[in-house]
mmCIF file of all heavy atoms in Angstrom:
data_model
loop_
_atom_site.group_PDB
_atom_site.id
_atom_site.type_symbol
_atom_site.label_atom_id
_atom_site.label_comp_id
_atom_site.label_asym_id
_atom_site.label_seq_id
_atom_site.Cartn_x
_atom_site.Cartn_y
_atom_site.Cartn_z
ATOM 1 N N LYS A 2 17.355 53.098 3.436
ATOM 2 C CA LYS A 2 16.213 52.228 3.348
ATOM 3 C C LYS A 2 16.192 51.272 4.417
ATOM 4 O O LYS A 2 17.339 50.831 4.979
ATOM 5 C CB LYS A 2 16.300 51.498 1.965
ATOM 6 C CG LYS A 2 16.121 52.424 0.755
ATOM 7 C CD LYS A 2 16.293 51.426 -0.494
ATOM 8 C CE LYS A 2 16.216 52.308 -1.675
ATOM 9 N NZ LYS A 2 16.407 51.525 -2.973
ATOM 10 N N LEU A 3 14.961 50.704 4.735
ATOM 11 C CA LEU A 3 15.033 49.722 5.877
ATOM 12 C C LEU A 3 15.747 48.555 5.526
ATOM 13 O O LEU A 3 16.429 47.948 6.484
ATOM 14 C CB LEU A 3 13.544 49.348 6.114
ATOM 15 C CG LEU A 3 12.694 50.304 6.918
ATOM 16 C CD1 LEU A 3 12.128 51.449 6.243
ATOM 17 C CD2 LEU A 3 11.583 49.478 7.624
ATOM 18 N N SER A 4 15.883 48.203 4.297
ATOM 19 C CA SER A 4 16.588 47.004 3.911
ATOM 20 C C SER A 4 18.181 47.139 4.017
ATOM 21 O O SER A 4 18.828 46.148 3.985
ATOM 22 C CB SER A 4 16.223 46.568 2.521
ATOM 23 O OG SER A 4 16.563 47.549 1.672
ATOM 24 N N GLU A 5 18.553 48.345 4.227
ATOM 25 C CA GLU A 5 19.948 48.572 4.289
ATOM 26 C C GLU A 5 20.603 48.435 5.739
ATOM 27 O O GLU A 5 21.738 48.482 5.856
ATOM 28 C CB GLU A 5 20.339 49.961 3.664
ATOM 29 C CG GLU A 5 20.079 50.007 2.141
ATOM 30 C CD GLU A 5 20.257 51.295 1.543
ATOM 31 O OE1 GLU A 5 20.378 52.331 2.284
ATOM 32 O OE2 GLU A 5 20.252 51.516 0.334
ATOM 33 N N TYR A 6 19.674 48.465 6.757
ATOM 34 C CA TYR A 6 20.188 48.292 8.123
ATOM 35 C C TYR A 6 20.584 46.908 8.402
ATOM 36 O O TYR A 6 19.992 45.901 7.809
ATOM 37 C CB TYR A 6 19.008 48.629 8.987
ATOM 38 C CG TYR A 6 18.651 50.135 9.081
ATOM 39 C CD1 TYR A 6 17.755 50.778 8.243
ATOM 40 C CD2 TYR A 6 19.104 50.929 10.108
ATOM 41 C CE1 TYR A 6 17.497 52.071 8.273
ATOM 42 C CE2 TYR A 6 18.918 52.275 10.225
ATOM 43 C CZ TYR A 6 18.069 52.807 9.289
ATOM 44 O OH TYR A 6 17.751 54.217 9.420
ATOM 45 N N SER A 7 21.563 46.831 9.212
ATOM 46 C CA SER A 7 22.036 45.426 9.599
ATOM 47 C C SER A 7 21.475 45.166 10.900
ATOM 48 O O SER A 7 21.886 45.647 11.977
ATOM 49 C CB SER A 7 23.558 45.408 9.579
ATOM 50 O OG SER A 7 23.986 44.147 10.178
ATOM 51 N N VAL A 8 20.211 44.474 10.949
ATOM 52 C CA VAL A 8 19.392 44.287 12.109
ATOM 53 C C VAL A 8 18.890 42.781 12.115
ATOM 54 O O VAL A 8 19.020 42.120 11.215
ATOM 55 C CB VAL A 8 18.141 45.269 12.198
ATOM 56 C CG1 VAL A 8 18.717 46.698 12.333
ATOM 57 C CG2 VAL A 8 17.288 45.137 10.920
ATOM 58 N N LYS A 9 18.161 42.517 13.199
ATOM 59 C CA LYS A 9 17.630 41.132 13.498
ATOM 60 C C LYS A 9 16.260 41.279 12.874
ATOM 61 O O LYS A 9 15.421 41.972 13.246
ATOM 62 C CB LYS A 9 17.534 41.018 15.000
ATOM 63 C CG LYS A 9 16.610 39.801 15.344
ATOM 64 C CD LYS A 9 17.268 38.490 15.114
ATOM 65 C CE LYS A 9 16.418 37.319 15.695
ATOM 66 N NZ LYS A 9 16.229 36.181 14.782
ATOM 67 N N ARG A 10 16.111 40.503 11.690
ATOM 68 C CA ARG A 10 14.800 40.467 11.120
ATOM 69 C C ARG A 10 14.235 38.995 11.254
ATOM 70 O O ARG A 10 14.738 38.077 11.364
ATOM 71 C CB ARG A 10 15.059 40.477 9.520
ATOM 72 C CG ARG A 10 15.591 41.851 9.036
ATOM 73 C CD ARG A 10 15.550 41.942 7.444
ATOM 74 N NE ARG A 10 15.892 43.346 7.238
ATOM 75 C CZ ARG A 10 17.254 43.600 6.818
ATOM 76 N NH1 ARG A 10 18.082 42.669 6.670
ATOM 77 N NH2 ARG A 10 17.513 44.802 6.653
ATOM 78 N N CYS A 11 12.914 39.269 11.554
ATOM 79 C CA CYS A 11 11.997 37.972 11.643
ATOM 80 C C CYS A 11 11.114 37.878 10.472
ATOM 81 O O CYS A 11 10.557 38.971 10.055
ATOM 82 C CB CYS A 11 11.253 38.025 12.970
ATOM 83 S SG CYS A 11 12.242 38.074 14.524
ATOM 84 N N HIS A 12 10.847 36.697 10.067
ATOM 85 C CA HIS A 12 9.784 36.467 8.964
ATOM 86 C C HIS A 12 8.568 36.286 9.616
ATOM 87 O O HIS A 12 8.285 35.516 10.577
ATOM 88 C CB HIS A 12 10.184 35.303 8.129
ATOM 89 C CG HIS A 12 11.472 35.559 7.286
ATOM 90 N ND1 HIS A 12 12.648 35.124 7.746
ATOM 91 C CD2 HIS A 12 11.607 36.099 6.107
ATOM 92 C CE1 HIS A 12 13.612 35.412 6.708
ATOM 93 N NE2 HIS A 12 12.876 36.069 5.794
ATOM 94 N N THR A 13 7.452 36.939 9.069
ATOM 95 C CA THR A 13 6.086 36.806 9.593
ATOM 96 C C THR A 13 5.237 36.582 8.269
ATOM 97 O O THR A 13 5.547 36.874 7.162
ATOM 98 C CB THR A 13 5.607 38.068 10.336
ATOM 99 O OG1 THR A 13 5.723 39.223 9.451
ATOM 100 C CG2 THR A 13 6.575 38.293 11.588
ATOM 101 N N ALA A 14 4.110 36.128 8.595
ATOM 102 C CA ALA A 14 3.107 35.994 7.536
ATOM 103 C C ALA A 14 1.709 36.316 7.888
ATOM 104 O O ALA A 14 1.396 36.171 9.084
ATOM 105 C CB ALA A 14 3.133 34.443 7.077
ATOM 106 N N ALA A 15 0.929 36.920 7.028
ATOM 107 C CA ALA A 15 -0.474 37.371 7.462
ATOM 108 C C ALA A 15 -1.444 36.912 6.345
ATOM 109 O O ALA A 15 -1.062 36.666 5.145
ATOM 110 C CB ALA A 15 -0.535 38.932 7.480
#
Side-chain angles (χ1 to χ4, degrees):
K2 294 180 183 178
L3 275 80
S4 60
E5 295 173 346
Y6 286 87
S7 179
V8 296
K9 169 73 171 136
R10 289 190 182 100
C11 296
H12 290 96
T13 62

